[in-house]
Each structure stands twice: as structure tokens, then as C-alpha cells.
Amino acid sequence: KSTDSDQPVVNVLLIENNDTTHFVLVKSLNALLRRGNTRRTKHYCERCFHGFDEARNLEKHKPSCLRFKPLAIKFPEDDYLFFKSYRKMVQCPVYIVADFECYVKDVPQTEETASQVSNLIFKMIR
């Protein structure tokens, strides 16, 4: 498709299985790309497959997307992927777990403290 023209677009999906290939017509890009069984409509960019909740946001996105090459997804040949870039991990030198309830002091229950607490609660509610 020419990115500058308004020619109709036909989306096809290439399915490869060992030595056979097959093209499938994609009638709805939304149905193909949406997650799970949600029926919520999303508007997808045909170049980068980014999803937008509103069509106007997709229209705003198109000029910036045209500056880049179209997306080409390449899957790895290996069956398993392993994390190898340990140097890129964010280091956390300190890990703190705090329980602030341990700082609550036990107040002896008297008539005076009970009335102070009820007055405080009454002031907070008003």
C-alpha cells in the first residue's frame, strides 16, 4: 500500500507450517488483534498494530507513525528464551518492609480516654 494514497487496503495473514504456506484474508483487524474474548472496540494502526480506544487518537497517531518503517514481527528460532542481560537490571540496594501498626501505643481504657476518642470520632464524621 502507498502510505500517501487513499487506496483500499487488503489485510492478509501468512500462515507457515513446515513446508506449506497459506494466505488468509483478515476481515477485521480488531478481531485479530484484540485480547481475550473482550468485545470492546479498538482501533488499530495498520503499520505498527498499536491499539487506540478512539478513532480520533488513531488519526492523530498516523502522521507520526508514517515517519518510521512498518512493523515486521520476527519470532525467535529457539523454543525457549532466556534472560541474559543481567547488567541491565535495576539494582535495589535496600528492601524495607515496614509495619506501622507496631508503633501504635496501647492506651489504658478509662472514662476520660473513652470520651476523648468518641469526641474525636464525632469531629471527624462532621
Side-chain angles (χ1 to χ4, degrees), residues 20-59:
T20 60
T21 59
H22 185 72
F23 285 98
V24 178
L25 175 66
V26 177
K27 291 184 179 181
S28 171
L29 197 59
N30 180 36
L32 179 67
L33 298 178
R34 72 174 161 225
R35 292 182 182 166
N37 60 359
T38 179
R39 296 266 184 219
R40 194 174 91 202
T41 302
K42 279 200 150 214
H43 306 274
Y44 288 94
C45 177
E46 294 175 347
R47 293 176 55 87
C48 67
F49 300 129
H50 185 80
F52 297 93
D53 291 329
E54 298 179 10
R56 65 185 169 103
N57 292 339
L58 174 61
E59 293 304 318

Side-chain angles (χ1 to χ4, degrees), residues 66-83:
L66 291 174
R67 294 185 299 185
F68 303 101
K69 293 181 181 178
L71 180 69
I73 300 173
K74 295 181 182 178
F75 291 102
E77 298 292 328
D78 300 334
D79 290 338
Y80 298 99
L81 296 177
F82 296 98
F83 182 74

